[in-house]
Amino acid sequence: MTVSEAIRERRSVRKFVAGAEVSDEQIKILLEAAMLAPSACNTRPWEFIVVKNREKLDKIREFHPYTGMLATASLAIVIVALPQKQNAPISSGYFPQDCGAATQNILLQALDLGLGACWCGVYPKEDRISELASILNIDNLPFCVIAIGVPDESPEARGKYEESKVTVVE
């Protein structure tokens, strides 16, 4: 699969094969892809929590209104932002872009592995941040939850090229 194909074929999967296994090797490949994302001044302002525990997945689903797919997902990867790692003026404040790039790498890598994934936002919603931090018993900033599993659906493409949204400055 080329990068171009992966970009065009990626979908937000919200239905997974319940009980399907995602191997430790696949998880490592997903996390490696995330950690290869660009970041401001290579600060890498992130940590990752792999949530396989069904009780924790259900608790996330109970408070977060857009994580219903965790009912059948095999696991979730929570990206935790570390804005304090970006304390130099040149890198300060770029953690949302950096964590977003890591998230996109996971989504594309999941597709390449034959897995499905769905990005569920947490940051900047204060109620979601505090609730997820409490469930995971962390002091740092939960950025997003990514549901991962074997897809049990093939959603249609929702994005498209729109020339009207492009301005060329020569």
Side-chain angles (χ1 to χ4, degrees):
M1 173 178 298
T2 67
V3 172
S4 185
E5 289 168 338
I7 290 168
R8 284 159 179 74
E9 292 178 25
R10 189 213 54 81
R11 304 285 185 271
S12 293
V13 174
R14 293 177 174 85
K15 293 179 185 173
F16 300 96
V17 176
E21 184 178 332
V22 174
S23 72
D24 290 341
E25 181 61 25
Q26 288 173 311
I27 294 168
K28 182 179 178 184
I29 292 168
L30 291 168
L31 294 172
E32 180 182 33
M35 293 180 202
L36 289 170
S39 65
C41 299
N42 199 34
T43 51
R44 302 164 45 92
W46 51 56
E47 291 179 340
F48 304 89
I49 299 174
V50 178
V51 182
K52 294 181 179 181
N53 179 281
R54 182 56 46 199
E55 189 175 302
K56 297 269 188 201
L57 291 169
D58 290 342
K59 283 184 178 185
I60 296 168
R61 193 168 46 90
E62 287 170 14
F63 87 84
H64 193 304
Y66 305 108
T67 59
M69 76 289 297
L70 291 177
T72 56
S74 302
L75 58 98
I77 296 175
V78 176
I79 297 185
V80 179
L82 305 174
Q84 66 274 19
K85 291 194 72 150
Q86 295 182 321
N87 53 14
I90 194 170
S91 63
S92 181
Y94 287 101
F95 72 89
Q97 293 92 318
D98 300 341
C99 290
T103 302
Q104 181 72 350
N105 278 10
I106 289 174
L107 300 176
L108 294 172
Q109 185 65 70
L111 175 67
D112 188 56
L113 293 172
L115 300 171
C118 188
W119 177 350
C120 305
V122 173
Y123 176 85
K125 304 293 185 184
E126 289 297 331
D127 58 329
R128 294 180 196 168
I129 291 168
S130 61
E131 189 68 31
L132 187 53
S134 176
I135 289 170
L136 298 175
N137 195 29
I138 59 173
D139 293 325
N140 289 314
L141 177 65
F143 179 77
C144 70
V145 174
I146 306 169
I148 305 280
V150 174
D152 197 19
E153 67 173 350
S154 298
E156 292 294 317
R158 294 175 74 181
K160 63 180 180 180
Y161 177 78
E162 296 177 65
E163 193 164 336
S164 65
K165 296 188 177 201
V166 178
T167 301
V168 177
V169 179
E170 295 185 37

PDB file of all heavy atoms in Angstrom, residues 129-147:
ATOM      1  N   ILE A 129     -11.005  15.765  29.766  1.00  0.00           N
ATOM      2  CA  ILE A 129      -9.617  15.681  30.242  1.00  0.00           C
ATOM      3  C   ILE A 129      -9.590  15.183  31.680  1.00  0.00           C
ATOM      4  O   ILE A 129      -8.887  14.218  32.003  1.00  0.00           O
ATOM      5  CB  ILE A 129      -8.909  17.057  30.125  1.00  0.00           C
ATOM      6  CG1 ILE A 129      -8.692  17.423  28.659  1.00  0.00           C
ATOM      7  CG2 ILE A 129      -7.589  17.054  30.897  1.00  0.00           C
ATOM      8  CD1 ILE A 129      -8.282  18.867  28.438  1.00  0.00           C
ATOM      9  N   SER A 130     -10.365  15.810  32.549  1.00  0.00           N
ATOM     10  CA  SER A 130     -10.314  15.444  33.973  1.00  0.00           C
ATOM     11  C   SER A 130     -10.854  14.045  34.216  1.00  0.00           C
ATOM     12  O   SER A 130     -10.299  13.286  35.012  1.00  0.00           O
ATOM     13  CB  SER A 130     -11.047  16.475  34.830  1.00  0.00           C
ATOM     14  OG  SER A 130     -12.401  16.552  34.481  1.00  0.00           O
ATOM     15  N   GLU A 131     -11.919  13.671  33.522  1.00  0.00           N
ATOM     16  CA  GLU A 131     -12.499  12.338  33.716  1.00  0.00           C
ATOM     17  C   GLU A 131     -11.541  11.244  33.236  1.00  0.00           C
ATOM     18  O   GLU A 131     -11.325  10.248  33.927  1.00  0.00           O
ATOM     19  CB  GLU A 131     -13.831  12.236  32.978  1.00  0.00           C
ATOM     20  CG  GLU A 131     -14.606  10.984  33.279  1.00  0.00           C
ATOM     21  CD  GLU A 131     -15.149  10.906  34.702  1.00  0.00           C
ATOM     22  OE1 GLU A 131     -15.457  11.942  35.301  1.00  0.00           O
ATOM     23  OE2 GLU A 131     -15.246   9.766  35.218  1.00  0.00           O
ATOM     24  N   LEU A 132     -10.946  11.432  32.076  1.00  0.00           N
ATOM     25  CA  LEU A 132     -10.028  10.417  31.552  1.00  0.00           C
ATOM     26  C   LEU A 132      -8.759  10.344  32.388  1.00  0.00           C
ATOM     27  O   LEU A 132      -8.260   9.243  32.669  1.00  0.00           O
ATOM     28  CB  LEU A 132      -9.689  10.693  30.083  1.00  0.00           C
ATOM     29  CG  LEU A 132      -8.883   9.613  29.367  1.00  0.00           C
ATOM     30  CD1 LEU A 132      -9.530   8.232  29.488  1.00  0.00           C
ATOM     31  CD2 LEU A 132      -8.690   9.974  27.907  1.00  0.00           C
ATOM     32  N   ALA A 133      -8.250  11.474  32.834  1.00  0.00           N
ATOM     33  CA  ALA A 133      -7.073  11.475  33.706  1.00  0.00           C
ATOM     34  C   ALA A 133      -7.370  10.706  34.988  1.00  0.00           C
ATOM     35  O   ALA A 133      -6.524   9.954  35.487  1.00  0.00           O
ATOM     36  CB  ALA A 133      -6.638  12.905  34.019  1.00  0.00           C
ATOM     37  N   SER A 134      -8.565  10.861  35.504  1.00  0.00           N
ATOM     38  CA  SER A 134      -8.963  10.154  36.717  1.00  0.00           C
ATOM     39  C   SER A 134      -9.050   8.642  36.480  1.00  0.00           C
ATOM     40  O   SER A 134      -8.530   7.848  37.269  1.00  0.00           O
ATOM     41  CB  SER A 134     -10.307  10.691  37.211  1.00  0.00           C
ATOM     42  OG  SER A 134     -10.753   9.964  38.327  1.00  0.00           O
ATOM     43  N   ILE A 135      -9.680   8.242  35.395  1.00  0.00           N
ATOM     44  CA  ILE A 135      -9.814   6.809  35.077  1.00  0.00           C
ATOM     45  C   ILE A 135      -8.450   6.165  34.911  1.00  0.00           C
ATOM     46  O   ILE A 135      -8.219   5.047  35.366  1.00  0.00           O
ATOM     47  CB  ILE A 135     -10.669   6.612  33.808  1.00  0.00           C
ATOM     48  CG1 ILE A 135     -12.135   6.948  34.102  1.00  0.00           C
ATOM     49  CG2 ILE A 135     -10.536   5.188  33.257  1.00  0.00           C
ATOM     50  CD1 ILE A 135     -13.013   7.028  32.871  1.00  0.00           C
ATOM     51  N   LEU A 136      -7.531   6.875  34.272  1.00  0.00           N
ATOM     52  CA  LEU A 136      -6.198   6.315  33.994  1.00  0.00           C
ATOM     53  C   LEU A 136      -5.195   6.604  35.111  1.00  0.00           C
ATOM     54  O   LEU A 136      -4.051   6.166  35.033  1.00  0.00           O
ATOM     55  CB  LEU A 136      -5.676   6.845  32.661  1.00  0.00           C
ATOM     56  CG  LEU A 136      -6.523   6.480  31.439  1.00  0.00           C
ATOM     57  CD1 LEU A 136      -5.985   7.155  30.195  1.00  0.00           C
ATOM     58  CD2 LEU A 136      -6.605   4.969  31.264  1.00  0.00           C
ATOM     59  N   ASN A 137      -5.630   7.377  36.095  1.00  0.00           N
ATOM     60  CA  ASN A 137      -4.778   7.719  37.238  1.00  0.00           C
ATOM     61  C   ASN A 137      -3.472   8.382  36.781  1.00  0.00           C
ATOM     62  O   ASN A 137      -2.377   7.949  37.135  1.00  0.00           O
ATOM     63  CB  ASN A 137      -4.502   6.481  38.102  1.00  0.00           C
ATOM     64  CG  ASN A 137      -3.936   6.851  39.451  1.00  0.00           C
ATOM     65  OD1 ASN A 137      -4.206   7.921  39.984  1.00  0.00           O
ATOM     66  ND2 ASN A 137      -3.115   5.966  39.988  1.00  0.00           N
ATOM     67  N   ILE A 138      -3.632   9.442  35.966  1.00  0.00           N
ATOM     68  CA  ILE A 138      -2.471  10.172  35.458  1.00  0.00           C
ATOM     69  C   ILE A 138      -2.605  11.650  35.802  1.00  0.00           C
ATOM     70  O   ILE A 138      -3.713  12.161  35.989  1.00  0.00           O
ATOM     71  CB  ILE A 138      -2.293  10.005  33.929  1.00  0.00           C
ATOM     72  CG1 ILE A 138      -3.524  10.506  33.161  1.00  0.00           C
ATOM     73  CG2 ILE A 138      -1.990   8.550  33.583  1.00  0.00           C
ATOM     74  CD1 ILE A 138      -3.361  10.539  31.653  1.00  0.00           C
ATOM     75  N   ASP A 139      -1.469  12.311  35.874  1.00  0.00           N
ATOM     76  CA  ASP A 139      -1.443  13.751  36.132  1.00  0.00           C
ATOM     77  C   ASP A 139      -1.272  14.557  34.846  1.00  0.00           C
ATOM     78  O   ASP A 139      -1.502  15.765  34.839  1.00  0.00           O
ATOM     79  CB  ASP A 139      -0.297  14.102  37.094  1.00  0.00           C
ATOM     80  CG  ASP A 139      -0.533  13.535  38.478  1.00  0.00           C
ATOM     81  OD1 ASP A 139      -1.697  13.481  38.917  1.00  0.00           O
ATOM     82  OD2 ASP A 139       0.459  13.131  39.125  1.00  0.00           O
ATOM     83  N   ASN A 140      -0.828  13.904  33.780  1.00  0.00           N
ATOM     84  CA  ASN A 140      -0.590  14.618  32.529  1.00  0.00           C
ATOM     85  C   ASN A 140      -1.884  14.774  31.737  1.00  0.00           C
ATOM     86  O   ASN A 140      -2.953  14.358  32.184  1.00  0.00           O
ATOM     87  CB  ASN A 140       0.501  13.912  31.728  1.00  0.00           C
ATOM     88  CG  ASN A 140       1.861  14.101  32.374  1.00  0.00           C
ATOM     89  OD1 ASN A 140       2.223  15.206  32.765  1.00  0.00           O
ATOM     90  ND2 ASN A 140       2.623  13.023  32.517  1.00  0.00           N
ATOM     91  N   LEU A 141      -1.797  15.347  30.557  1.00  0.00           N
ATOM     92  CA  LEU A 141      -2.934  15.799  29.767  1.00  0.00           C
ATOM     93  C   LEU A 141      -3.376  14.769  28.725  1.00  0.00           C
ATOM     94  O   LEU A 141      -2.719  14.615  27.694  1.00  0.00           O
ATOM     95  CB  LEU A 141      -2.531  17.111  29.082  1.00  0.00           C
ATOM     96  CG  LEU A 141      -3.499  17.769  28.135  1.00  0.00           C
ATOM     97  CD1 LEU A 141      -4.746  18.219  28.871  1.00  0.00           C
ATOM     98  CD2 LEU A 141      -2.824  18.967  27.475  1.00  0.00           C
ATOM     99  N   PRO A 142      -4.507  14.088  28.935  1.00  0.00           N
ATOM    100  CA  PRO A 142      -5.001  13.168  27.898  1.00  0.00           C
ATOM    101  C   PRO A 142      -5.417  13.976  26.667  1.00  0.00           C
ATOM    102  O   PRO A 142      -6.209  14.914  26.773  1.00  0.00           O
ATOM    103  CB  PRO A 142      -6.212  12.504  28.536  1.00  0.00           C
ATOM    104  CG  PRO A 142      -6.204  12.869  29.968  1.00  0.00           C
ATOM    105  CD  PRO A 142      -5.367  14.095  30.111  1.00  0.00           C
ATOM    106  N   PHE A 143      -4.865  13.621  25.530  1.00  0.00           N
ATOM    107  CA  PHE A 143      -5.128  14.356  24.289  1.00  0.00           C
ATOM    108  C   PHE A 143      -6.255  13.721  23.480  1.00  0.00           C
ATOM    109  O   PHE A 143      -7.144  14.402  22.986  1.00  0.00           O
ATOM    110  CB  PHE A 143      -3.841  14.416  23.457  1.00  0.00           C
ATOM    111  CG  PHE A 143      -3.997  15.125  22.145  1.00  0.00           C
ATOM    112  CD1 PHE A 143      -4.037  16.508  22.107  1.00  0.00           C
ATOM    113  CD2 PHE A 143      -4.098  14.428  20.962  1.00  0.00           C
ATOM    114  CE1 PHE A 143      -4.192  17.185  20.890  1.00  0.00           C
ATOM    115  CE2 PHE A 143      -4.248  15.082  19.749  1.00  0.00           C
ATOM    116  CZ  PHE A 143      -4.293  16.463  19.712  1.00  0.00           C
ATOM    117  N   CYS A 144      -6.193  12.400  23.300  1.00  0.00           N
ATOM    118  CA  CYS A 144      -7.233  11.712  22.539  1.00  0.00           C
ATOM    119  C   CYS A 144      -7.249  10.233  22.882  1.00  0.00           C
ATOM    120  O   CYS A 144      -6.318   9.701  23.489  1.00  0.00           O
ATOM    121  CB  CYS A 144      -7.045  11.905  21.036  1.00  0.00           C
ATOM    122  SG  CYS A 144      -5.632  11.038  20.331  1.00  0.00           S
ATOM    123  N   VAL A 145      -8.334   9.601  22.478  1.00  0.00           N
ATOM    124  CA  VAL A 145      -8.510   8.154  22.595  1.00  0.00           C
ATOM    125  C   VAL A 145      -8.637   7.629  21.173  1.00  0.00           C
ATOM    126  O   VAL A 145      -9.423   8.167  20.386  1.00  0.00           O
ATOM    127  CB  VAL A 145      -9.794   7.804  23.382  1.00  0.00           C
ATOM    128  CG1 VAL A 145     -10.057   6.310  23.368  1.00  0.00           C
ATOM    129  CG2 VAL A 145      -9.733   8.339  24.800  1.00  0.00           C
ATOM    130  N   ILE A 146      -7.875   6.599  20.844  1.00  0.00           N
ATOM    131  CA  ILE A 146      -7.985   5.984  19.522  1.00  0.00           C
ATOM    132  C   ILE A 146      -8.461   4.549  19.714  1.00  0.00           C
ATOM    133  O   ILE A 146      -7.757   3.730  20.304  1.00  0.00           O
ATOM    134  CB  ILE A 146      -6.642   5.994  18.771  1.00  0.00           C
ATOM    135  CG1 ILE A 146      -6.069   7.403  18.698  1.00  0.00           C
ATOM    136  CG2 ILE A 146      -6.824   5.398  17.360  1.00  0.00           C
ATOM    137  CD1 ILE A 146      -4.629   7.459  18.219  1.00  0.00           C
ATOM    138  N   ALA A 147      -9.677   4.273  19.254  1.00  0.00           N
ATOM    139  CA  ALA A 147     -10.211   2.907  19.303  1.00  0.00           C
ATOM    140  C   ALA A 147      -9.528   2.098  18.206  1.00  0.00           C
ATOM    141  O   ALA A 147      -9.389   2.570  17.073  1.00  0.00           O
ATOM    142  CB  ALA A 147     -11.716   2.927  19.089  1.00  0.00           C
TER     143      ALA A 147
END
